[in-house]
Amino acid sequence: MSTVHSSPDSGIQRPTVPPGPAGGRASRNPLVPAGGLALSWLVPTGLVTLHLGILLLPLLLVATASVIRVGGVLLDRLFVAALILFGGVLTLGLVFSLWPWGLSPVATTGTMFSVLTVAAWAARRAPRLPLRFRWSDLLVVGTFGGLWHYLYHPVAGATAAERVAFLATSEDRLSHFSFFSAIEGVGGFNFFHQDAAKAYLMPPSEVTYPQGSHFLLAWTDTLVHSAANPGDMLQTMNRYFLYLLVAYALFCTALVWAARWIGGPRLRGWRAAAVCATVGSIMFASNYMDLLVHGFDSTFIGLLLIALSLAVLVRPAMGRTEFVLAASAGLITVTFTYNIYGAFVGVALLGALVAHRRKFAGYWWWTLGALLCALGVAALPSILSVMGNLDVASASNMNGPSVGADRSILIGGGLLGLLAAAMPRSRRTATGQAHLAVLLGTGAVLTAFAAYQLHSIGRYSYYFHKMTAVGVVVALISVGAVGVMLQTPYRGTSRALPRRLGELALSGLAVAAALSMFANVQWGFLATKDNPSAWSGNPLVVWGRGEFESDMGPKGVEALAPLRGTGGPVIALVSNDDYKNLKATWLASLLNRRGGDMKALYEMHWVDIGGPQVKEEDYQRSFGRLKGAIDMLPAPHPPVTILTADRAVGDRIKRDLAKQGVKATVLSDPEMLWTQPWGRTFPGV
């Protein structure tokens, strides 16, 4: 049996494993890895053949968790294993992108299982999981369950065409899907297949935009679909949308777990309940639901990875090898997903190395060498972006709509975290020092970028607001350190049962109080039809009622469906609203696997014809833009297919194009007419 020596000052658990199979040591018998390697390929082959490839994802997660030695409870082990698994997928993804099998689910998972088998054999580690739990696990898992209830409710039982109304709420979402579909189409990272990727997305984004989140979702899709070929694009869109719902729920859940993890083993009882409930409640009512609504997919997936990375850097309750793996995974996943967030992980890593320096005594060269290799891998996509003519200065100061950080959480939570980290008993621990370094480092990065933007353009713009989201994440996970500063756990009587019941009662009160104060839950008190509770108006609940869907109804989507096999450029003029025409054309291009056409077809943003009763001046101006877009399409290309919502307008467009020698197929379907505003007004910053 293994024993665990823990230091309350450092917050680090050091497993001491006696030799022999009973202690979790794997045998050096060569038949053991041989059998493991055989299973590494037989299991994926069998499951994919049976169209059960989705089971490979939890199997990989459990296999990773069984090899590493982290934390004392199963849930902690799974979260850290998930971070390491994500890092492994993106790192090996560089190989997957270049070998002949692409994203084949058998080839990719077989390779990953083989790597785990060899690593476990080399380290002499038999698979082992800590089958222990903490009562606060229920709050962590419950956060995911509660969020999923509201996220999935408006689309439960809907068809793939009906769900497009929730998917296609913004240009950003359509753009992110083009990266996802391109990775599946070319069989790897777009920056390794730039010429082929240009057919799927607008150049030069195939090399300039970070693709980590899209790659993770595309690889996941090959497991879910049990094939590297995504198949029908409408069904692929449906799966992508469901992955996003899961990812957002995991983002909020990861914040709850990270806060508890930073609190460490001293955060127990009602204090753990208060911490988990507070962070979960804030995310239930947070305006960050708008990240999902408005298509900032890479942003919230990057924040999910930031939360996991910072948590393990602040309190590395693991051995040196696991720390290097987790820190490397944090650097790689965050930088691949949203490269400007990599600066925060880099600062946190420096702070962790200094604060926990005793952990690496005698192993500094090995540790720094491994981390420098990880840094090189993490920097690769950004280096290729700069080589791809990315104007860093211009991109850093670009404008665009964004979801502003909740300043109360950012400032108040950050100050509260500083208060906890500055307490004498926190400063005496390595975890407390690392936490203080993360708080100060995050503040320094935000201040430096703010000063740069004020100096360059005289105001804060798009990416500053993106970066402040990391400040909110740091403030929320710091709640765990605040919880440790609270009064000691409930003592009650000397008898075990009454003491546990008392602790349970206090935990319930803490959860109820947190839901009331931070999620606006009023338990029905003073909630009437004319005066509803604040809870009913928060973005998550509004989403759950289906009020965030766009007017892209299933009839319009089904009208686009026959165009998926045309093979040529598609233009959809669904109304006399240019923005609707732009998004409908983009959707049609994505369904037709020709997202790259949108570089020219962005002219639809000024084409406001397609519906009935078009004014003559609008027709003449819009027709000129339409003709210009067709002329800008890269040659040679098959004849353009144009779909209108009004036959008279469609017939006139066909005649006028023919007069100018433009070959085009013009179809009309009045069912495509959309007359209502597309989605809700963007909240802005």
Side-chain angles (χ1 to χ4, degrees), residues 597-608:
D597 291 342
M598 289 308 299
K599 187 173 181 67
L601 298 184
Y602 230 90
E603 290 291 299
M604 295 309 104
H605 212 322
W606 293 273
V607 176
D608 49 7

Side-chain angles (χ1 to χ4, degrees), residues 345-569:
V345 179
V347 169
L349 178 56
L350 289 175
L353 291 173
V354 173
H356 296 283
R357 56 191 176 277
R358 293 182 181 178
K359 185 182 187 71
F360 309 104
Y363 295 89
W364 276 108
W365 289 112
W366 177 86
T367 301
L368 292 178
L371 291 175
L372 284 174
C373 290
L375 181 61
V377 174
L380 177 62
S382 298
I383 293 172
L384 292 175
S385 295
V386 175
M387 293 174 62
N389 297 321
L390 174 67
D391 186 342
V392 178
S394 176
S396 299
N397 292 324
M398 66 177 290
N399 292 313
S402 185
V403 178
D406 188 315
R407 292 173 176 80
S408 298
I409 299 174
L410 175 66
I411 299 173
L415 292 174
L416 196 59
L418 277 174
L419 177 64
M423 296 289 284
R425 66 176 179 174
S426 287
R427 295 201 312 271
R428 288 193 294 267
T429 70
T431 296
Q433 294 166 13
H435 180 215
L436 182 61
V438 167
L439 286 163
L440 295 177
T442 300
V445 172
L446 288 175
T447 301
F449 192 75
Y452 167 74
Q453 288 207 322
L454 290 175
H455 175 74
S456 302
I457 57 177
R459 56 185 171 79
Y460 305 131
S461 68
Y462 181 77
Y463 277 114
F464 175 75
H465 298 290
K466 291 278 190 175
M467 293 178 76
T468 56
V470 179
V472 173
V473 167
V474 172
L476 288 175
I477 66 178
S478 296
V479 174
V482 176
V484 177
M485 299 294 107
L486 298 177
Q487 183 182 352
T488 55
Y490 176 77
R491 297 298 180 185
T493 68
S494 60
R495 298 170 61 186
L497 182 58
R499 184 171 65 250
R500 290 177 180 174
L501 290 175
E503 188 70 62
L504 180 62
L506 290 180
S507 298
L509 287 173
V511 171
L515 288 170
S516 295
M517 291 190 295
F518 303 112
N520 299 314
V521 175
Q522 299 176 19
W523 314 106
F525 183 68
L526 294 180
T528 64
K529 182 178 180 181
D530 297 328
N531 184 25
S533 67
W535 163 260
S536 65
N538 82 53
L540 177 65
V541 177
V542 172
W543 170 280
R545 292 198 298 264
E547 296 181 20
F548 272 125
E549 66 177 331
S550 70
D551 69 338
M552 181 174 277
K555 289 185 178 180
V557 175
E558 289 166 359
L560 296 175
L563 304 181
R564 279 176 271 173
T566 60

Side-chain angles (χ1 to χ4, degrees), residues 301-362:
I301 294 176
L303 294 175
L304 158 63
L305 298 169
I306 276 275
L308 297 178
S309 303
L310 296 185
V312 297
L313 291 175
V314 169
R315 193 176 77 87
M318 59 195 75
R320 283 179 292 270
T321 301
E322 280 82 0
F323 174 81
V324 169
L325 286 172
S328 299
L331 276 173
I332 293 168
T333 56
V334 171
T335 309
F336 272 49
T337 300
Y338 216 77
N339 47 15
I340 61 171
Y341 288 169
F344 296 97
V345 179
V347 169
L349 178 56
L350 289 175
L353 291 173
V354 173
H356 296 283
R357 56 191 176 277
R358 293 182 181 178
K359 185 182 187 71
F360 309 104

